[in-house]
Amino acid sequence: MINQITDLPFHLKDYATAKKYHDRIKPISGRGRNAGLRPICDTKNGRKKTQYLIREREWGAQAPAAIECVLYETPVVTFVEDGTIILDNTYSSFTTNAFMQEILSPYRAQVSEKGGQTWIGLGDLHAYRKHWWLPYGDRVVFAPDGNSLRPIEPRLINRWEVNRAAAREVYARFENFVSHCLAISKVIDPESFYKNNMEKYWSNANKVFCFGSIPEPFDPENITDYWAKATTSVIFHAIDQTRDWGNNGFTTRFSLESKKIRKNVHDSLKREFSNEIFTPIKAEEGVFSMAINVEYIR
């Protein structure tokens, strides 16, 4: 039992076995809304689970005959007469993962969420096991590959790797501004500074500052209104708050670390100059991979 789904068949491997299983299931009788449906869980208890169905897809010029294993009206697993198997991740969820995994148990499938994405592991449980990405909202077609399955057109995650030389060049353009922020941070009181600017900058907590439309270069001898606001924003978002419990209840301590100022500026620059700093690299086929640095890509 996985995620409380029971009574699912565990021997469906291709169109022939799925068609044979479909044909032997007696449709629900009567005149109710479920009349004529075939529950995929063919047990006394399982036939009550009409959210899990098996149905035959009519063939045509554009679509060969197929047997669909259906979860809440979505054909999550489709066994096609041409030998392919379609996995539908339109509605990604733990229930979808569990349903797909159970149906594909002949292939030792393991469907799970990793790194915020859906992945399916297929084949041998040890050295030769392959892992394939199932993007949200996508339908991926698999074909037999020995005793396992392999996507006909594998979906490959982009790994946005840092071009360190390009990043250093971008950071260097704003080094004087970083030095200015560091100098200001040494002469302010973090608590007073935070409270005085909280109303203006707190609602923009997830973005330090936008460097994408700079009206003029930074000049430490002539701090314009634009760069004054940029300095305030960078310092404000570098201030940390720590709540301590004492005899008189909670107290809040405000602190400011210089390394966080530099990090905040660099993070903003990564977003604004992502085309210069990052290089998209396709992940290796059949290997689990995280989509690194995607939060900086615009």
Side-chain angles (χ1 to χ4, degrees):
M1 181 179 73
I2 299 177
N3 202 35
Q4 297 184 339
I5 296 182
T6 59
D7 304 309
L8 287 172
F10 54 84
H11 65 284
L12 306 184
K13 194 168 185 178
D14 51 26
Y15 173 80
T17 55
K19 179 69 163 66
K20 183 177 180 181
Y21 181 76
H22 166 274
D23 291 348
R24 77 172 181 81
I25 293 178
K26 183 180 179 181
I28 296 175
S29 60
R31 297 182 179 180
R33 64 178 182 177
N34 295 326
L37 299 180
R38 298 176 191 253
I40 195 171
C41 303
D42 192 29
T43 63
K44 182 178 180 180
N45 180 62
R47 287 182 63 82
K48 301 175 183 178
K49 304 175 183 179
T50 54
Q51 70 270 38
Y52 310 137
L53 301 173
I54 188 167
R55 68 190 181 197
E56 188 169 16
R57 186 181 75 185
E58 295 298 328
W59 66 275
Q62 302 299 322
I67 299 296
E68 299 175 334
C69 302
V70 180
L71 171 67
Y72 294 108
E73 297 300 321
T74 300
V76 173
V77 181
T78 301
F79 296 95
V80 187
E81 191 176 23
D82 63 9
T84 59
I85 299 176
I86 303 172
L87 303 185
D88 191 321
N89 198 34
T90 298
Y91 300 103
S92 182
S93 68
F94 289 116
T95 303
T96 299
N97 295 349
F99 184 84
M100 188 182 297
Q101 178 171 305
E102 284 287 88
I103 297 297
L104 296 175
S105 57
Y107 296 101
R108 297 182 180 180
Q110 183 177 19
V111 186
S112 59
E113 298 293 314
K114 296 180 179 181
Q117 297 290 337
T118 304
W119 289 79
I120 180 169
L122 292 164
D124 190 277
L125 295 177
H126 302 292
Y128 300 103
R129 190 168 180 81
K130 298 294 185 180
H131 298 268
W132 304 102
W133 178 35
L134 302 177
Y136 298 151
D138 201 359
R139 301 169 77 244
V140 184
V141 181
F142 284 73
D145 183 27
N147 294 324
S148 186
L149 298 171
R150 181 184 182 87
I152 295 176
E153 296 182 3
R155 308 306 196 257
L156 302 178
I157 277 182
N158 272 332
R159 293 174 57 82
W160 298 91
E161 298 187 355
V162 176
N163 181 328
R164 298 192 180 280
R168 285 194 295 269
E169 193 280 327
V170 171
Y171 298 161
R173 299 179 212 167
F174 297 88
E175 188 56 33
N176 286 339
F177 172 66
V178 173
S179 298
H180 171 71
C181 292
L182 291 172
I184 297 297
S185 71
K186 294 177 181 178
V187 298
I188 65 166
D189 172 59
E191 180 175 358
S192 299
F193 188 92
Y194 187 91
K195 291 180 178 179
N196 289 339
N197 293 283
M198 182 171 62
E199 182 177 350
K200 186 173 183 180
Y201 292 99
W202 182 82
S203 61
N204 199 28
N206 294 324
K207 190 171 185 179
V208 175
F209 201 74
C210 176
F211 294 96
S213 56
I214 300 172
E216 67 277 322
F218 176 76
D219 180 1
E221 303 299 326
N222 180 28
I223 307 299
T224 63
D225 181 66
Y226 175 91
W227 288 107
K229 291 178 179 177
T231 302
T232 302
S233 176
V234 168
I235 295 176
F236 176 85
H237 289 102
I239 296 174
D240 289 321
Q241 301 179 62
T242 304
R243 301 191 71 184
D244 298 321
W245 176 259
N247 293 332
N248 297 321
F250 281 109
T251 58
T252 302
R253 289 187 293 110
F254 294 82
S255 60
L256 176 59
E257 295 185 21
S258 58
K259 63 181 181 181
K260 191 169 182 181
I261 289 178
R262 187 177 300 276
K263 180 182 183 303
N264 284 352
V265 173
H266 287 182
D267 282 351
S268 285
L269 293 176
K270 287 177 183 177
R271 295 186 183 94
E272 302 298 334
F273 298 93
S274 58
N275 290 338
E276 296 181 45
I277 293 176
F278 296 101
T279 301
I281 305 295
K282 290 293 185 183
E284 182 181 351
E285 287 190 11
V287 178
F288 167 71
S289 182
M290 297 281 286
I292 61 172
N293 295 317
V294 69
E295 65 272 22
Y296 298 114
I297 306 305
R298 304 184 70 179

